[in-house]
């Protein structure tokens, strides 16, 4: 009864909800609470509750926004939130999915639109994101979105207002407020919805009108802002990378499908075509289409801004949009070459819309600030025209009265009349017009050449690039037309016009000269000669007669023409014996005429005072250089080429070389080139004529100009290889290039002073390049420093011994120059004098005495602790010198240079003292580089020379004395661990190289090694290192690294000589005796993992030393290893460290090496617990390799040491121990390891050893197959399945035993079957790898199943195994056929492989029967196209085999299968 009463009360409450919601007396907050309660309550029994609540919400919001109802602002906010909650609720989704219809009022949609408009105007009354969320909820529901989709104009309005809102946010680039992701998500949704609705509209005219009226400008503005926005990190990545692209794409789709569809073509024709072209279209289309669609579009694009900033923005939108709209028109109307005229006239209208009149003049409203944007738009329109191929020159002339040509000419005039030479797009527009038709620009060719070539004045990089590209295009165009002489003639006229030539740019910059050279190379020789005549005649007739006129700048014009003539002549294909005689004669006449010009210039005695003297000199030298070089080349290659004045060449050169006191850098360079020419001519003469050695030496010195080299200033100035750019700044680079590129010709004739100056200049420039931090590398030109660097690294320098020696002497001089003469004099008096004065040694004996004296002085200075102080600047300079020295080729050095350089470096290493202000890391860096360079010098062919100068043991002792001294002074304290280890490595490399040298050269080897070992073990200095209680860790490590290096080198020398072995074993014992206490002393200090790794390496060397000593002493029965207890305790600690937890890789590598060495020692001494040691090592390695932190690169680095250790363990293990190893391997083959590549690694590695196939490879493969059969539950990554297929290719199939062959064959087959059966989704990608593996099976079974002779017949058992393999192949063919969708494309490939292999062998009948049945299953899936493909591509012999197979397939298998299919039906 109580329950019934409660239900009645609740029913009464719920039945009154509707009334309360309508009641004006109910407070709005209560109404909102009731509405929420009614929606969420399952016991509310209102009829059609969802629709009622939607209507109430819509009514409430409509009342508020129409100002009919007064609703509190917080309630309005609540109403929107309530609506949003309903729209995104699971309950509404369930109701709609049950088929129930709910509708939204149009007034609510209109309210949403209005609120978006408010927001775009900057007015936000309620939570804006809530309104957008409501909009999103409506449009994502197919039922509710009908509110918008059924009312097309409402959706257009929504899209327009959202575009405005998005554009407002994008325009606020400087605002700190980020873009709203919600806005762009909803915009993207609305665009998608609208695009669908637009495509469904039956009336295309209505769509066009709606889009142009309401959407065109908002969409284009939005697109422009998205394209031009400078995206920052504060912008949401989803907007930046995804939504912006998607929105632009959908905007393009909306505009193209609305404005440019085939239905509108007639309307466009009617508007744009002239009256004579559209007579037929007008009558049929009257009253049906659009009226003036182009004007409608352009009208909407011409939006006026409220201020200058907005005006500029709207013009940019219009300009960019015109290009976009034209591309749409091209795509829609211009397919297959149709409607070219329509599209052209449309383009003409769009071009005029940029701000031009119909006659292509500037519109009075056009702003000059818009030229950059207008030209970019024009460039894009012209390029689209080119790409669309709408200009057919012949059709335009014949059918349309050259309407297009006339338009383009007007456009060209517009560009010339309003030249914008500071804008790259201006040049690109002209280039596009040139590409359309060269006749467009030809009437203005002189103006074109003047504006973009001869008189161009803007040198900004982008402008220069565009300008040179246009000039190159003009040259290429006229070269293709075979009208290059016409172009050059026009160019000459432009050059010779009166102008301020000193303001003109160089006529032939690098890019243009390359283009001209390429054009001339492909040009007919007769035309090239014509061009040369044109240039020469222009010079003779118009310029040279008045060249001395002081008021004239004709010298500059002559110089430009001379450069042009030079470029043309040097771009010729040279005359040879195959050149036609008329061409040779014309060339001779040209050369004679050119010679007259040169002689006239020389006779006029033009080298006088005057404003143009320098340029006249340059002209003379350039013409002489051009003439003599070309004349010589023609004489060498063409026997038919003869000049009456052939002897004039030498006379001309001599006259030019007599001219002196020239200020022009180019004249000097050309004079050097003429001197080089004279030198080459002398070298070409027979040996009987080359008596003028002094003359050649004079020429070489003239070219080098050592006085000028010594005054070189900036070595980093760039030169671009062009004569026209040679000036005071670039001269040195040009001169240095000339000298170095011809160094093999010049060097033999240079004296000692010349080579010395050359070397100093080279070193100076190299050091300057290091100061410049490689700034030259980004430039395409060359500089002195860049040339020097290339020369230093090239083999050319090594082939010039005098120059190379001078460079080394210069480096030595620079080293000591940094130290100061007084300090060097104290350390080595014998060294200083020749380094400064470069005195040559008279004979070898005197030189050796001097070198020995230097070596002894060096050793004495170390003993006396002599020092040379260094500042920070000196350290930096020495570092730079070392960088240069490290590049030198030590094998090319003379013995004297080598010894001096090595002793110099060693003096620096031993005697320099660093200032306290210098950071320790900088000091160590210098010492490290010194040791590295010395180590590299000790491995060259002259290295034995140093042992003749000074004893090796003395060098080693001096090195260690110096290092221990530096360590005691605290130089190595506080260093970063990595820096210290790198330094230790450099010291170790040097000591190792020197000890190797002592051993290899057998230079008093025993004496030197014994002396140095005694020093390291017994000297007071080393005793002090070991006795330090406080613990100088650096000294200990230096001591240990030296002893370990000594031991390793002595170990490699054992076994060569019994007497030597006795000495070395004694020395090894002495060395290892002090290593243990040193290592223990080092371990007592708490150090990093790097110190632990270092300690392990040292103990490993100790063990190997004792093992080596023990192996030599075996005959004496002295196999005892002294420090076994120490080694054993060390081993126990290492075994603890080898765990799955992360460890430094260098520590792991050194630990594994240690275990290999210790296991050998334990085996040799039969240590107690040897069996347990084997197991412990295996377990530790297993634990280490099971660590999940190991990457593939880590495993590869561990591979070598682990292999070495396993070889050690397996070589002498028992059967039980080997079984344990295999069990651990099997345990490690878990899915995680397979995915990490461990299993495939085992298969690949074990397959290299045939004996492991049955023992390891096949068990691993079977384990892998078991895991494959468990599917994605075990192996989830599809890529790992492909990796498995790759591993199958390594399993050997070439066993001598048929039983082993069958086992391997079956294992591969089962793995393939597991793959195709359990991973069908992977097969689409993996099918090539799968088929490669399967093809191995097919080819191997064919090879084994071939018919054999009587002597080679297989046993019955082998035949049975082979038959089983053939049956497996047949079975796999059927599996492949069943998975045909994954192999459809590859069916013909499978058949081709089969018949290619079948053609090579004759199969046993029973084998062939199974294989044939299998391949028939594949042929079932080959369509007619596949059969045609096979017949076309297969070779003749293979094609016959295929035809035979296909005939039998058609006759037997196919007919039988078709019969079975009919029976089944």
């Amino acid at each position: 009864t109580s329950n019934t009463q409660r239900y009645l009360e609740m029913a009464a409450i719920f039945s009154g909800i509707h009334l309360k919601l309508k009641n004006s007396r109910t407070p709005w907050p209560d109404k909102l609470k009731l509405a929420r309660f009614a929606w969420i309550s399952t016991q509310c029994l209102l009829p059609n509750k969802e629709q009622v609540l939607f209507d109430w919400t819509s009514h409430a919001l409509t009342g508020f926004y129409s100002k009919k109802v007064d609703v509190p602002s917080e309630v309005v906010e609540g109403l929107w939130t309530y609506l949003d909650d309903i729209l995104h609720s699971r309950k509404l989704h369930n109701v709609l999915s049950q088929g129930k219809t709910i509708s939204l009022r149009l007034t609510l949609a209109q309210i949403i639109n209005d609120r978006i408009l408010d927001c775009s105007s900057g007015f936000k009354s309620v939570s804006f994101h809530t309104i957008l969320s409501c909009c999103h909820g409506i449009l994502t529901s197919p039922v509710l979105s009908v509110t918008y989709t059924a009312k097309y104009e409402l959706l257009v309005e929504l899209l327009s207002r959202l575009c405005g809102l998005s554009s407002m946010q994008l325009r606020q680039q400087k605002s700190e407020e980020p873009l709203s992701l919600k806005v762009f998500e909803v915009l993207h949704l609305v665009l998608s919805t609208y695009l669908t609705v637009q495509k469904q509209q039956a009336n295309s005219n209505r769509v066009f009108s709606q889009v142009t009226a309401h959407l065109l400008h908002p969409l284009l503005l939005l697109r422009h802002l998205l394209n031009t926005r400078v995206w920052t990190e504060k912008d949401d990545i989803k907007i930046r990378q995804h939504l912006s692209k998607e929105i632009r794409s959908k905007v393009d789709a909306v505009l193209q499908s609305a404005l440019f569809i085939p239905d509108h073509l007639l309307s466009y024709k009617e508007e744009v075509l002239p009256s004579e072209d559209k007579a037929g279209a007008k009558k049929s289309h009257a009253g049906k289409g659009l009226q003036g669609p182009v004007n409608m579009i352009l009208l909407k694009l011409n939006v006026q801004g409220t201020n200058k900033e907005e005006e500029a923005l709207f013009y940019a939108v219009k300009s960019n949009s015109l290009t976009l709209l034209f591309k749409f028109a091209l795509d829609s109307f211009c397919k297959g070459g149709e409607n070219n005229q329509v599209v052209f006239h449309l383009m003409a209208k769009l071009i005029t819309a940029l701000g031009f009149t119909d006659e292509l003049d500037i519109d009075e409203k056009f702003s000059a600030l818009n030229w950059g944007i207008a030209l970019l738009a024009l460039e894009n329109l012209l390029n689209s025209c080119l790409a669309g191929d709408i200009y057919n020159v012949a059709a335009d002339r014949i059918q349309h009265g050259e309407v297009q040509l006339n338009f383009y000419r007007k456009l060209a005039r517009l560009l010339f009349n309003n030249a914008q030479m500071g804008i790259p797009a201006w040049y690109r527009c002209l280039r596009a017009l040139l590409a359309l038709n060269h006749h467009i620009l030809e009437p203005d060719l002189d103006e074109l050449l003047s504006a973009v070539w001869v008189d161009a004045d803007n040198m900004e990089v982008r402008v220069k690039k565009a300008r040179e590209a246009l000039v190159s295009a003009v040259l290429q165009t006229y070269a293709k037309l075979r009208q290059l002489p016409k172009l050059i003639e026009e160019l000459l006229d432009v050059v010779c016009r009166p102008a301020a030539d000193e303001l003109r740019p160089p006529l032939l910059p690098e890019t243009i000269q390359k283009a001209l050279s390429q054009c001339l190379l492909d040009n007919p020789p007769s035309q090239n000669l014509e061009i040369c005549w044109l240039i020469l005649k222009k010079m003779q007739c118009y310029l040279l007669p008045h060249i001395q006129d002081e008021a004239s700048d004709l010298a500059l014009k002559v110089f430009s023409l001379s450069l042009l003539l030079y470029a043309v002549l040097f771009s010729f294909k040279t005359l040879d014996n195959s050149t036609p005689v008329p061409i040779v004669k014309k060339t001779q006449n040209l050369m004679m005429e050119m010679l007259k010009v040169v002689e006239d210039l020389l006779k006029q005695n033009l080298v006088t005072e005057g404003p143009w003297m320098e340029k006249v000199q340059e002209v003379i030298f350039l013409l002489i250089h051009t003439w003599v070089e070309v004349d010589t080349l023609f004489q060498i290659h063409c026997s038919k080429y003869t000049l009456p004045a052939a002897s004039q060449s030498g006379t001309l050169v001599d006259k030019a070389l007599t001219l002196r006191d020239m200020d022009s850098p180019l004249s000097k360079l050309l004079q050097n080139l003429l001197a080089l020419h004279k030198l080459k001519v002398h070298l070409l003469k027979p040996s009987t004529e080359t008596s003028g050695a002094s003359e050649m030496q004079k020429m070489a010195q003239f070219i080098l100009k050592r006085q000028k080299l010594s005054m070189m200033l900036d070595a980093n100035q760039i030169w671009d290889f062009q004569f026209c750019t040679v000036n005071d700044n670039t001269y040195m680079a040009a001169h240095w290039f000339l000298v170095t590129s011809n160094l093999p010709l010049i060097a033999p004739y240079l004296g000692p002073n010349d080579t010395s100056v050359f070397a100093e200049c080279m070193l100076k420039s190299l050091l300057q390049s290091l100061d410049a931090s490689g700034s030259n590398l980004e430039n395409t030109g060359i500089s002195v420093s860049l040339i020097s660097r290339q020369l230093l690294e090239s083999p050319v320098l090594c082939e010039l011994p005098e120059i190379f020696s001078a460079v080394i002497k210069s480096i030595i001089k620079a080293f000591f120059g940094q130290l100061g003469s007084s300090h060097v004099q104290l350390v080595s008096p014998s060294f200083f004098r020749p380094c400064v004065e470069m005195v040559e040694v008279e004979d070898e004996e005197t030189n050796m005495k001097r070198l020995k004296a230097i070596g002894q002085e060096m050793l004495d200075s170390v003993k006396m602790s002599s020092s040379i102080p260094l500042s920070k600047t000196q350290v930096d300079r020495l570092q730079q010198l070392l960088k240069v020295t490290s590049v030198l080729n030590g094998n090319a050095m003379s013995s004297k240079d080598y010894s001096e350089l090595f002793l110099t470096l060693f003096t620096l290493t031993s005697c320099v003292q660093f200032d306290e202000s210098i950071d320790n890391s900088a000091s160590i860096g210098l010492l490290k580089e010194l040791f590295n360079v010395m180590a590299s010098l000790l491995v060259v062919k002259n290295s034995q020379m140093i042992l003749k100068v000074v004893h090796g043991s003395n060098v080693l002792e001096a090195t260690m004395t110096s290092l221990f001294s530096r360590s005691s002074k605290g130089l190595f304290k506080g260093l970063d661990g990595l820096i210290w280890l790198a330094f230790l490595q450099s010291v170790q490399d040097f000591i190792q190289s020197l000890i190797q040298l002592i051993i290899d050269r057998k230079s008093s080897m025993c004496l030197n090694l014994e002396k140095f070992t005694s020093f390291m073990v017994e000297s007071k200095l080393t005793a002090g290192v070991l006795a330090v209680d406080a613990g100088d860790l650096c000294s200990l490590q230096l001591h240990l690294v030296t002893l370990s290096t000594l031991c390793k080198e002595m170990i490699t020398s054992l076994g060569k000589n019994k007497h030597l072995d006795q000495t070395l074993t004694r020395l090894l014992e002495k060395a290892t005796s002090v290593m243990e206490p040193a290592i223990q002393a080092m371990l007592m200090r708490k150090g990093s993992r790097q110190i632990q790794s270092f300690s392990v390496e040292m103990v490993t060397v100790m063990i190997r030393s004792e093992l080596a000593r023990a192996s030599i002493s075996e005959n004496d029965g002295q196999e005892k290893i002294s420090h076994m207890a120490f080694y054993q305790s060390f081993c126990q600690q290492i075994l603890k460290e080898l765990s799955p937890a992360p460890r430094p890789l260098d520590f792991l590598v050194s630990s594994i090496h240690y275990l290999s060495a210790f296991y050998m020692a334990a085996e040799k001494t039969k240590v107690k617990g040897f069996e347990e040691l084997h197991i412990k090592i295996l377990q530790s390695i297993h634990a280490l390799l099971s660590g999940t932190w190991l990457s593939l690169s880590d495993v590869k680095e561990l591979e070598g040491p682990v292999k070495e250790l396993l070889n050690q363990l397996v070589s002498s293990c028992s059967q039980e121990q080997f079984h344990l190893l295999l069990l651990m391997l099997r345990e490690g083959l878990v899915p995680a390891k397979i995915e990490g590549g461990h299993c495939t690694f085992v298969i690949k590695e074990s397959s290299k050893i045939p004996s492991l196939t049955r023992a390891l490879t096949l068990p691993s493969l079977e384990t892998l197959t078991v895991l494959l059969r468990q599917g994605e539950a075990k192996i989830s990554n599809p890529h790992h399945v492909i990796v498995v297929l790759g591993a199958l290719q390594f399993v050997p199939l070439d066993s001598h035993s048929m039983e082993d062959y069958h086992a391997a064959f079956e294992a591969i087959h089962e793995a393939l079957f597991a793959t195709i059966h359990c991973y069908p989704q992977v097969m689409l990608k993996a099918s090539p790898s799968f088929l490669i593996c399967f093809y191995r099976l097919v080819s191997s079974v064919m090879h084994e199943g071939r018919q054999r002779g009587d002597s080679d017949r297989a046993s019955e058992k082998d035949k049975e195994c082979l038959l089983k393999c053939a049956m497996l192949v047949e079975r796999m063919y059927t599996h492949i056929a069943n998975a045909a969708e994954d192999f459809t494309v590859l069916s013909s490939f499978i058949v081709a492989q089969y018949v290619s292999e079948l053609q090579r062998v004759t199969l046993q009948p029973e084998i062939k029967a199974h294989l044939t049945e299998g391949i028939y299953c594949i042929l079932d899936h080959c369509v007619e196209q596949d059969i045609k493909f096979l017949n076309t591509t297969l070779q003749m012999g293979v094609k016959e085999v295929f035809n035979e197979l296909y005939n039998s397939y058609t006759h037997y298998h196919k007919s039988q299968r078709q019969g079975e299919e009919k029976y089944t039906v």
Side-chain angles (χ1 to χ4, degrees), residues 843-869:
D843 55 38
E844 189 174 343
E845 184 180 353
T846 309
N847 182 50
M848 181 57 68
K849 286 181 180 178
R850 173 181 160 275
L851 290 173
K852 286 183 177 179
I854 293 170
Q856 191 57 49
E857 288 167 356
M858 176 197 69
L859 296 174
D860 293 342
S861 66
V862 175
K863 288 178 184 177
M864 294 184 295
S865 300
S866 301
S867 62
I868 302 173

Side-chain angles (χ1 to χ4, degrees), residues 1010-1070:
E1010 191 161 2
K1011 190 170 179 292
F1012 182 56
T1013 305
S1014 299
F1015 171 81
M1016 291 301 296
V1017 174
E1018 299 168 354
S1019 69
K1020 292 181 179 178
L1021 186 63
T1022 53
V1025 170
L1026 295 173
V1028 175
D1029 295 328
D1032 185 355
L1033 188 59
C1034 295
S1035 294
L1036 279 172
Q1037 287 181 308
L1038 283 167
H1039 188 259
L1040 282 168
V1041 82
T1042 306
L1043 281 176
S1044 66
T1045 306
L1046 179 62
C1047 289
K1048 283 191 283 188
E1049 293 307 315
M1050 288 194 291
I1051 289 170
T1052 59
S1053 300
L1054 288 170
K1056 297 176 182 177
N1057 179 297
K1058 190 171 182 180
H1059 173 69
L1060 178 62
D1061 288 348
Q1062 289 176 351
T1063 303
L1064 293 180
T1065 51
R1066 179 167 48 81
L1067 295 179
L1068 284 171
E1069 184 177 8
K1070 185 184 286 190

Side-chain angles (χ1 to χ4, degrees), residues 738-779:
L738 170 65
V739 170
T740 54
S741 58
N742 294 282
L743 200 56
L745 296 177
I746 300 170
Y749 306 102
L750 295 177
N753 291 338
D754 298 319
T755 55
S756 173
V757 171
F758 175 87
E760 288 179 1
C761 179
M762 182 177 171
L763 180 59
K764 182 181 177 182
S765 63
L766 286 167
L767 294 175
Q768 279 193 21
S769 73
L770 293 173
D771 286 336
S773 303
S775 59
N776 295 338
L777 301 179
E778 292 84 16
N779 205 296

